[in-house]
Coordinates of all heavy atoms in Angstrom, one line a residue:
M23 N -74.7 33.8 -110.5 CA -74.7 34.0 -111.9 C -75.7 33.0 -112.5 O -75.7 31.8 -112.2 CB -73.3 33.7 -112.4 CG -73.1 33.9 -113.8 SD -71.4 33.5 -114.3 CE -70.5 33.9 -112.8
R24 N -76.6 33.5 -113.3 CA -77.6 32.6 -113.9 C -77.2 32.1 -115.3 O -76.6 32.8 -116.0 CB -78.9 33.3 -114.1 CG -79.6 33.7 -112.9 CD -81.0 34.2 -113.2 NE -81.6 34.6 -112.0 CZ -82.9 34.9 -112.0 NH1 -83.6 34.8 -113.1 NH2 -83.5 35.3 -110.9
L25 N -77.5 30.8 -115.5 CA -77.2 30.3 -116.8 C -78.3 29.4 -117.3 O -79.1 28.8 -116.4 CB -75.9 29.5 -116.8 CG -75.8 28.2 -116.0 CD1 -75.1 27.2 -116.9 CD2 -75.0 28.5 -114.8
V26 N -78.4 29.2 -118.6 CA -79.4 28.4 -119.2 C -78.7 27.5 -120.2 O -77.9 28.0 -121.0 CB -80.5 29.2 -119.8 CG1 -81.5 28.3 -120.6 CG2 -81.2 30.1 -118.8
V27 N -79.1 26.2 -120.3 CA -78.6 25.4 -121.4 C -79.8 25.0 -122.2 O -80.8 24.6 -121.7 CB -77.9 24.1 -120.9 CG1 -77.5 23.2 -122.0 CG2 -76.7 24.4 -120.0
D28 N -79.7 25.3 -123.5 CA -80.8 24.9 -124.4 C -80.6 23.4 -124.7 O -79.8 23.0 -125.5 CB -80.6 25.7 -125.7 CG -81.8 25.4 -126.7 OD1 -82.4 24.4 -126.6 OD2 -82.0 26.2 -127.6
L29 N -81.5 22.7 -124.0 CA -81.3 21.2 -124.1 C -81.8 20.7 -125.4 O -81.5 19.5 -125.7 CB -82.0 20.6 -122.9 CG -81.4 20.9 -121.5 CD1 -82.3 20.3 -120.4 CD2 -80.0 20.4 -121.4
N30 N -82.4 21.5 -126.2 CA -82.8 21.1 -127.6 C -81.6 21.1 -128.5 O -81.5 20.4 -129.4 CB -83.9 22.0 -128.2 CG -85.2 21.7 -127.4 OD1 -85.6 20.6 -127.2 ND2 -85.9 22.8 -127.1
K31 N -80.6 22.0 -128.1 CA -79.4 22.1 -128.9 C -78.3 21.2 -128.4 O -77.5 20.7 -129.2 CB -78.8 23.5 -128.8 CG -79.4 24.6 -129.7 CD -78.6 25.8 -129.5 CE -79.2 27.0 -130.3 NZ -78.3 28.2 -130.1
C32 N -78.3 21.0 -127.1 CA -77.2 20.2 -126.4 C -77.2 18.8 -127.0 O -78.2 18.1 -127.2 CB -77.5 20.1 -124.9 SG -76.4 19.0 -124.1
Q33 N -75.9 18.4 -127.4 CA -75.7 17.1 -128.0 C -75.0 16.2 -127.1 O -74.6 15.1 -127.5 CB -74.9 17.2 -129.3 CG -75.6 18.1 -130.4 CD -76.9 17.4 -130.9 OE1 -76.9 16.2 -131.2 NE2 -78.0 18.2 -130.9
G34 N -74.8 16.6 -125.8 CA -74.2 15.7 -124.9 C -72.7 15.5 -125.1 O -72.2 14.5 -124.8
Y35 N -72.0 16.5 -125.7 CA -70.6 16.3 -125.9 C -69.8 16.4 -124.6 O -68.6 16.0 -124.6 CB -70.1 17.4 -126.8 CG -70.6 17.3 -128.2 CD1 -71.4 18.3 -128.8 CD2 -70.4 16.2 -129.0 CE1 -71.9 18.3 -130.1 CE2 -70.9 16.1 -130.3 CZ -71.6 17.2 -130.8 OH -72.1 17.1 -132.1
A36 N -70.3 16.9 -123.6 CA -69.7 16.9 -122.2 C -68.5 17.8 -122.1 O -67.7 17.7 -121.1 CB -69.3 15.5 -121.8
Q37 N -68.3 18.7 -123.1 CA -67.1 19.7 -122.9 C -67.3 20.5 -121.7 O -66.4 20.8 -121.0 CB -67.1 20.6 -124.2 CG -67.0 19.9 -125.5 CD -65.6 19.4 -125.8 OE1 -64.8 19.2 -124.9 NE2 -65.4 19.2 -127.0
C38 N -68.6 20.9 -121.5 CA -68.9 21.8 -120.3 C -68.6 21.1 -119.0 O -68.1 21.6 -118.1 CB -70.3 22.3 -120.4 SG -71.5 21.0 -120.5
A39 N -69.0 19.8 -118.9 CA -68.8 19.0 -117.7 C -67.3 18.8 -117.4 O -66.9 18.8 -116.3 CB -69.5 17.7 -117.8
F40 N -66.5 18.8 -118.5 CA -65.1 18.6 -118.3 C -64.5 19.9 -117.8 O -63.6 19.9 -116.9 CB -64.5 18.2 -119.7 CG -63.0 18.1 -119.6 CD1 -62.3 17.1 -119.0 CD2 -62.2 19.0 -120.3 CE1 -60.9 17.0 -118.9 CE2 -60.8 19.0 -120.3 CZ -60.2 17.9 -119.6
L41 N -64.9 21.0 -118.4 CA -64.3 22.3 -118.1 C -64.8 23.0 -116.8 O -64.2 23.8 -116.2 CB -64.5 23.3 -119.3 CG -63.7 22.9 -120.5 CD1 -64.2 23.7 -121.7 CD2 -62.2 23.1 -120.3
A42 N -66.1 22.7 -116.5 CA -66.7 23.3 -115.3 C -67.5 22.2 -114.5 O -68.7 22.2 -114.5 CB -67.6 24.5 -115.7
P43 N -66.8 21.3 -113.9 CA -67.4 20.1 -113.3 C -68.3 20.5 -112.1 O -69.1 19.7 -111.7 CB -66.3 19.2 -112.9 CG -65.1 20.1 -112.9 CD -65.3 21.2 -113.9
D44 N -68.1 21.7 -111.5 CA -68.9 22.0 -110.4 C -70.2 22.6 -110.8 O -71.1 22.8 -110.0 CB -68.2 23.1 -109.5 CG -67.0 22.4 -108.8 OD1 -67.0 21.2 -108.6 OD2 -66.1 23.2 -108.4
V45 N -70.4 22.9 -112.1 CA -71.6 23.4 -112.6 C -72.4 22.4 -113.5 O -73.6 22.3 -113.4 CB -71.3 24.7 -113.5 CG1 -72.6 25.3 -114.0 CG2 -70.5 25.7 -112.7
F46 N -71.6 21.7 -114.3 CA -72.2 20.7 -115.2 C -71.8 19.3 -114.9 O -70.7 19.1 -114.5 CB -71.8 21.0 -116.7 CG -72.0 22.4 -117.1 CD1 -71.0 23.4 -117.1 CD2 -73.3 22.8 -117.6 CE1 -71.3 24.7 -117.5 CE2 -73.5 24.1 -118.1 CZ -72.5 25.1 -118.0
A47 N -72.8 18.4 -115.2 CA -72.4 17.0 -115.0 C -73.3 16.2 -116.0 O -74.4 16.6 -116.3 CB -72.7 16.5 -113.6
M48 N -72.7 15.1 -116.5 CA -73.5 14.2 -117.4 C -74.2 13.2 -116.5 O -73.7 12.7 -115.5 CB -72.5 13.5 -118.3 CG -71.8 14.4 -119.3 SD -72.8 15.6 -120.1 CE -73.7 14.6 -121.2
H49 N -75.4 13.0 -116.9 CA -76.2 12.0 -116.2 C -76.6 10.9 -117.2 O -77.4 11.1 -118.1 CB -77.5 12.7 -115.7 CG -78.4 11.8 -114.9 ND1 -78.0 11.3 -113.6 CD2 -79.6 11.2 -115.1 CE1 -79.0 10.5 -113.1 NE2 -79.9 10.5 -114.0
G50 N -75.9 9.8 -117.1 CA -76.0 8.8 -118.2 C -75.2 9.2 -119.4 O -74.3 10.0 -119.2
D51 N -75.5 8.7 -120.5 CA -74.6 8.9 -121.7 C -74.9 10.3 -122.3 O -74.0 10.9 -122.8 CB -74.9 7.8 -122.8 CG -74.2 6.6 -122.4 OD1 -73.3 6.6 -121.6 OD2 -74.5 5.5 -123.0
E52 N -76.1 10.8 -122.3 CA -76.4 12.0 -123.1 C -77.1 13.1 -122.3 O -77.1 14.2 -122.8 CB -77.2 11.6 -124.3 CG -76.5 10.8 -125.3 CD -77.3 10.6 -126.6 OE1 -78.4 11.0 -126.6 OE2 -76.7 10.0 -127.5
S53 N -77.6 12.8 -121.2 CA -78.4 13.9 -120.6 C -77.5 14.7 -119.6 O -76.7 14.2 -118.8 CB -79.6 13.4 -119.9 OG -79.3 12.5 -118.9
L54 N -77.7 16.0 -119.7 CA -76.8 16.9 -119.0 C -77.7 17.5 -117.8 O -78.8 17.8 -117.9 CB -76.5 18.1 -119.9 CG -75.7 19.3 -119.3 CD1 -74.3 18.8 -119.0 CD2 -75.7 20.5 -120.2
I55 N -77.0 17.5 -116.6 CA -77.6 18.3 -115.5 C -76.7 19.4 -115.2 O -75.5 19.3 -115.4 CB -77.9 17.3 -114.3 CG1 -76.6 16.6 -113.9 CG2 -79.0 16.3 -114.6 CD1 -76.8 15.8 -112.6
Y56 N -77.3 20.5 -114.7 CA -76.4 21.7 -114.4 C -77.1 22.5 -113.3 O -78.3 22.4 -113.0 CB -76.2 22.5 -115.7 CG -77.4 23.2 -116.2 CD1 -77.7 24.5 -116.0 CD2 -78.3 22.4 -117.0 CE1 -78.8 25.1 -116.5 CE2 -79.4 23.0 -117.6 CZ -79.7 24.4 -117.3 OH -80.8 25.0 -117.8
N57 N -76.2 23.3 -112.7 CA -76.7 24.3 -111.7 C -77.0 25.6 -112.4 O -76.1 26.3 -112.8 CB -75.6 24.5 -110.6 CG -76.0 25.5 -109.6 OD1 -77.1 26.0 -109.6 ND2 -75.1 25.7 -108.6
P58 N -78.3 26.0 -112.5 CA -78.7 27.2 -113.2 C -78.2 28.5 -112.4 O -78.4 29.6 -113.0 CB -80.2 27.1 -113.3 CG -80.6 26.2 -112.2 CD -79.5 25.3 -111.9
R59 N -77.8 28.3 -111.2 CA -77.3 29.5 -110.4 C -75.9 29.2 -109.9 O -75.7 29.0 -108.8 CB -78.2 29.8 -109.3 CG -79.6 30.3 -109.7 CD -80.5 30.4 -108.5 NE -81.8 30.9 -109.0 CZ -82.2 32.1 -108.9 NH1 -81.4 33.1 -108.5 NH2 -83.4 32.5 -109.4
A60 N -75.0 29.3 -110.9 CA -73.6 29.0 -110.5 C -73.0 30.1 -109.6 O -73.3 31.2 -109.7 CB -72.8 28.9 -111.8
D61 N -72.1 29.7 -108.8 CA -71.4 30.6 -107.9 C -70.5 31.6 -108.8 O -70.0 31.2 -109.8 CB -70.4 29.9 -106.9 CG -71.2 29.2 -105.9 OD1 -72.4 29.5 -105.7 OD2 -70.6 28.3 -105.3
E62 N -70.3 32.8 -108.3 CA -69.5 33.8 -109.0 C -68.1 33.3 -109.2 O -67.5 33.6 -110.2 CB -69.5 35.1 -108.1 CG -69.0 36.3 -108.8 CD -69.8 36.7 -110.0 OE1 -71.0 36.4 -110.1 OE2 -69.1 37.2 -111.0
E63 N -67.6 32.5 -108.2 CA -66.2 32.0 -108.4 C -66.1 31.0 -109.6 O -65.0 30.6 -109.9 CB -65.8 31.3 -107.1 CG -66.6 30.1 -106.7 CD -66.3 29.6 -105.3 OE1 -66.1 30.5 -104.4 OE2 -66.3 28.4 -105.1
Q64 N -67.2 30.6 -110.1 CA -67.2 29.7 -111.3 C -67.1 30.4 -112.6 O -67.1 29.8 -113.7 CB -68.4 28.8 -111.3 CG -68.5 27.8 -110.1 CD -67.4 26.8 -110.1 OE1 -67.0 26.3 -111.2 NE2 -66.8 26.5 -109.0
R65 N -67.0 31.8 -112.5 CA -67.2 32.6 -113.7 C -66.2 32.2 -114.8 O -66.5 32.0 -116.0 CB -66.9 34.1 -113.4 CG -66.9 35.0 -114.5 CD -66.8 36.4 -114.1 NE -68.0 36.9 -113.4 CZ -69.0 37.4 -114.1 NH1 -68.9 37.6 -115.4 NH2 -70.1 37.8 -113.5
E66 N -64.9 32.0 -114.5 CA -63.9 31.8 -115.5 C -64.1 30.4 -116.1 O -64.0 30.2 -117.3 CB -62.5 31.9 -114.9 CG -61.4 31.9 -116.0 CD -60.1 32.3 -115.5 OE1 -60.0 33.0 -114.5 OE2 -59.1 31.8 -116.0
R67 N -64.4 29.4 -115.3 CA -64.7 28.1 -115.8 C -65.9 28.1 -116.7 O -66.0 27.4 -117.7 CB -64.8 27.1 -114.7 CG -63.5 26.8 -114.0 CD -63.7 25.8 -112.9 NE -62.4 25.6 -112.3 CZ -62.2 24.6 -111.4 NH1 -63.1 23.9 -111.0 NH2 -61.0 24.5 -110.9
L68 N -66.9 28.8 -116.2 CA -68.1 28.9 -117.0 C -67.9 29.5 -118.3 O -68.4 29.1 -119.4 CB -69.2 29.6 -116.2 CG -70.6 29.7 -116.7 CD1 -71.1 28.3 -117.0 CD2 -71.5 30.4 -115.7
A69 N -67.1 30.6 -118.4 CA -66.8 31.2 -119.6 C -66.1 30.3 -120.6 O -66.4 30.2 -121.8 CB -65.9 32.4 -119.4
R70 N -65.2 29.4 -120.1 CA -64.6 28.4 -120.9 C -65.6 27.4 -121.4 O -65.5 27.0 -122.6 CB -63.5 27.7 -120.1 CG -62.3 28.6 -119.8 CD -61.1 27.7 -119.4 NE -60.0 28.6 -119.0 CZ -59.4 28.6 -117.9 NH1 -59.7 27.7 -117.0 NH2 -58.4 29.4 -117.6
A71 N -66.5 27.0 -120.6 CA -67.5 26.0 -121.0 C -68.4 26.6 -122.1 O -68.7 26.0 -123.1 CB -68.3 25.6 -119.8
V72 N -68.8 27.9 -121.9 CA -69.6 28.5 -122.9 C -68.9 28.6 -124.2 O -69.4 28.3 -125.3 CB -70.0 30.0 -122.5 CG1 -70.6 30.8 -123.6 CG2 -70.9 29.9 -121.3
A73 N -67.6 29.0 -124.2 CA -66.8 29.1 -125.4 C -66.6 27.7 -126.1 O -66.5 27.6 -127.3 CB -65.5 29.8 -125.1
A74 N -66.5 26.7 -125.3 CA -66.2 25.4 -125.8 C -67.3 24.6 -126.3 O -67.1 23.6 -127.0 CB -65.4 24.5 -124.7
C75 N -68.5 24.9 -125.9 CA -69.7 24.1 -126.3 C -69.8 24.2 -127.9 O -69.9 25.2 -128.5 CB -71.0 24.7 -125.7 SG -72.4 23.8 -126.3
P76 N -69.7 23.0 -128.5 CA -69.7 23.0 -130.0 C -71.0 23.5 -130.6 O -71.0 23.8 -131.8 CB -69.4 21.5 -130.3 CG -69.3 20.8 -129.1 CD -69.6 21.7 -127.9
V77 N -72.1 23.5 -129.9 CA -73.4 23.9 -130.5 C -73.9 25.2 -129.8 O -75.0 25.6 -130.0 CB -74.4 22.8 -130.4 CG1 -74.0 21.6 -131.3 CG2 -74.6 22.3 -129.0
Q78 N -73.1 25.9 -129.1 CA -73.4 27.2 -128.4 C -74.8 27.0 -127.7 O -75.7 27.9 -127.8 CB -73.5 28.3 -129.4 CG -72.2 28.8 -129.9 CD -71.7 28.0 -131.2 OE1 -72.5 27.8 -132.1 NE2 -70.5 27.6 -131.2
A79 N -74.9 26.0 -126.9 CA -76.1 25.7 -126.2 C -76.2 26.5 -124.8 O -77.3 26.5 -124.2 CB -76.3 24.2 -125.9
I80 N -75.1 27.0 -124.3 CA -75.0 27.6 -123.0 C -75.1 29.1 -123.1 O -74.3 29.7 -123.8 CB -73.7 27.2 -122.3 CG1 -73.5 25.7 -122.3 CG2 -73.8 27.7 -120.8 CD1 -72.2 25.2 -121.9
T81 N -76.0 29.7 -122.3 CA -76.1 31.1 -122.2 C -76.0 31.5 -120.8 O -76.7 30.9 -119.9 CB -77.5 31.6 -122.7 OG1 -77.7 31.1 -124.0 CG2 -77.6 33.1 -122.8
A82 N -75.2 32.5 -120.5 CA -75.0 32.9 -119.1 C -75.0 34.4 -118.9 O -74.5 35.1 -119.8 CB -73.7 32.3 -118.5
D83 N -75.7 34.9 -117.9 CA -75.7 36.3 -117.6 C -74.3 36.8 -117.3 O -73.5 36.2 -116.6 CB -76.5 36.6 -116.3 CG -78.0 36.5 -116.6 OD1 -78.4 36.3 -117.8 OD2 -78.8 36.5 -115.6
G84 N -74.0 38.0 -117.8 CA -72.8 38.7 -117.5 C -71.6 38.0 -118.0 O -70.5 38.3 -117.6
L85 N -71.7 37.2 -119.1 CA -70.5 36.6 -119.7 C -70.4 37.1 -121.1 O -70.0 36.3 -122.0 CB -70.6 35.1 -119.6 CG -70.2 34.5 -118.3 CD1 -70.2 32.9 -118.5 CD2 -68.8 34.9 -117.9
D86 N -70.7 38.4 -121.4 CA -70.6 38.9 -122.8 C -69.2 38.7 -123.2 O -68.2 39.0 -122.4 CB -71.0 40.3 -122.8 CG -72.5 40.5 -122.7 OD1 -73.2 39.5 -122.8 OD2 -72.9 41.6 -122.4
G87 N -69.0 38.3 -124.4 CA -67.6 38.1 -124.9 C -67.0 36.9 -124.5 O -65.8 36.7 -124.7
A88 N -67.7 36.0 -123.9 CA -67.2 34.7 -123.4 C -66.6 33.9 -124.5 O -65.8 33.0 -124.2 CB -68.2 33.9 -122.6
R89 N -67.0 34.1 -125.7 CA -66.5 33.3 -126.8 C -65.1 33.8 -127.3 O -64.5 33.2 -128.1 CB -67.5 33.3 -127.9 CG -68.7 32.5 -127.5 CD -69.5 32.0 -128.7 NE -70.6 31.2 -128.2 CZ -71.8 31.6 -127.9 NH1 -72.1 32.9 -128.2 NH2 -72.7 30.8 -127.5
G90 N -64.7 35.0 -126.7 CA -63.4 35.4 -127.1 C -62.3 34.8 -126.2 O -62.6 33.9 -125.5
P91 N -61.1 35.4 -126.1 CA -60.1 34.9 -125.2 C -60.6 35.0 -123.8 O -61.2 35.9 -123.4 CB -58.9 35.8 -125.5 CG -59.2 36.6 -126.7 CD -60.7 36.5 -126.9
V92 N -60.2 34.0 -123.0 CA -60.6 34.0 -121.6 C -59.7 35.1 -120.9 O -58.5 35.2 -121.2 CB -60.3 32.6 -121.0 CG1 -60.5 32.6 -119.5 CG2 -61.3 31.6 -121.7
A93 N -60.3 35.8 -119.9 CA -59.6 36.8 -119.2 C -58.3 36.2 -118.6 O -58.3 35.1 -118.1 CB -60.5 37.3 -118.0
G94 N -57.3 37.0 -118.7 CA -56.0 36.6 -118.2 C -55.0 36.3 -119.4 O -53.8 36.5 -119.3
S95 N -55.6 35.8 -120.5 CA -54.7 35.5 -121.6 C -54.1 36.7 -122.3 O -53.1 36.7 -122.9 CB -55.4 34.6 -122.6 OG -56.5 35.3 -123.1
A96 N -54.8 37.9 -122.1 CA -54.3 39.1 -122.7 C -53.0 39.6 -122.1 O -52.2 40.3 -122.7 CB -55.4 40.2 -122.6
R97 N -52.8 39.2 -120.8 CA -51.6 39.6 -120.1 C -50.3 39.1 -120.9 O -49.4 39.8 -121.1 CB -51.6 39.0 -118.7 CG -51.3 40.0 -117.7 CD -51.3 39.4 -116.3 NE -52.6 38.9 -116.0 CZ -52.8 37.8 -115.3 NH1 -51.8 37.1 -114.8 NH2 -54.0 37.3 -115.0
E98 N -50.4 37.8 -121.3 CA -49.2 37.3 -122.1 C -49.0 38.0 -123.3 O -47.9 38.3 -123.7 CB -49.5 35.8 -122.4 CG -49.6 35.0 -121.1 CD -50.3 33.7 -121.4 OE1 -50.1 33.1 -122.5 OE2 -51.0 33.2 -120.5
A99 N -50.1 38.4 -124.0 CA -50.0 39.1 -125.3 C -49.3 40.4 -125.2 O -48.6 40.9 -126.1 CB -51.4 39.2 -125.9
S100 N -49.6 41.1 -124.0 CA -49.0 42.5 -123.9 C -47.5 42.5 -123.7 O -46.9 43.5 -123.7 CB -49.7 43.2 -122.7 OG -49.4 42.6 -121.5
D101 N -46.9 41.3 -123.5 CA -45.5 41.3 -123.3 C -44.7 41.0 -124.6 O -43.6 40.7 -124.5 CB -45.2 40.1 -122.2 CG -43.8 40.2 -121.8 OD1 -43.2 41.3 -121.6 OD2 -43.2 39.1 -121.5
G102 N -45.4 41.2 -125.7 CA -44.7 40.9 -127.0 C -43.5 41.7 -127.2 O -43.5 42.9 -127.1
R103 N -42.4 41.0 -127.6 CA -41.2 41.6 -128.0 C -40.9 41.4 -129.4 O -41.2 40.5 -130.0 CB -40.0 41.1 -127.2 CG -40.1 41.6 -125.7 CD -38.7 41.5 -125.1 NE -38.5 40.2 -124.5 CZ -37.3 39.8 -124.1 NH1 -36.2 40.5 -124.4 NH2 -37.1 38.7 -123.5
Ligands
SF4_12 S1 -70.7 21.3 -124.1 FE1 -72.7 21.9 -125.0 S2 -73.4 20.2 -126.2 FE2 -71.9 19.5 -124.8 S3 -72.9 18.7 -123.0 FE3 -72.3 20.8 -122.6 S4 -74.1 22.1 -123.3 FE4 -74.3 20.0 -124.2

């Protein structure tokens, strides 16, 4: 899965590094390093990181709707009584 971080937007908040530590890491106080070809198994974490980035700096292929609820949460909603 390919992803791009717009480093002109990135403010180094590190939300992504917290949520998907196998993909993102902080290098020093403010610079972000990341794997632009994340494994497919990182999809859910990556979706959370995309949704959590306060400046929407992360774009990833195949994660349309990543800013909505993360897959899996709909299951709980369908059990409404
Ligand atoms: S969450 Fe967004 S702003 Fe923060 S480090 Fe990651 S890409 Fe940058």
Side-chain angles (χ1 to χ4, degrees):
M23 183 184 327
R24 289 189 185 192
L25 67 135
V26 175
V27 177
D28 183 340
L29 295 175
N30 291 315
K31 281 188 184 177
C32 174
Q33 299 295 313
Y35 293 119
Q37 306 281 24
C38 56
F40 176 71
L41 291 166
D44 291 337
V45 180
F46 304 96
M48 299 309 292
H49 184 70
D51 281 344
E52 289 188 357
S53 60
L54 175 73
I55 54 177
Y56 67 99
N57 177 0
R59 290 175 183 263
D61 289 341
E62 192 63 29
E63 64 192 37
Q64 296 295 322
R65 174 176 291 272
E66 192 169 330
R67 288 181 180 187
L68 188 52
R70 288 194 184 126
V72 169
C75 177
V77 293
Q78 288 89 46
I80 309 168
T81 307
D83 282 353
L85 279 184
D86 289 344
R89 293 202 173 92
V92 173
S95 59
R97 229 179 301 144
E98 297 162 34
S100 68
D101 190 34
R103 283 203 270 165

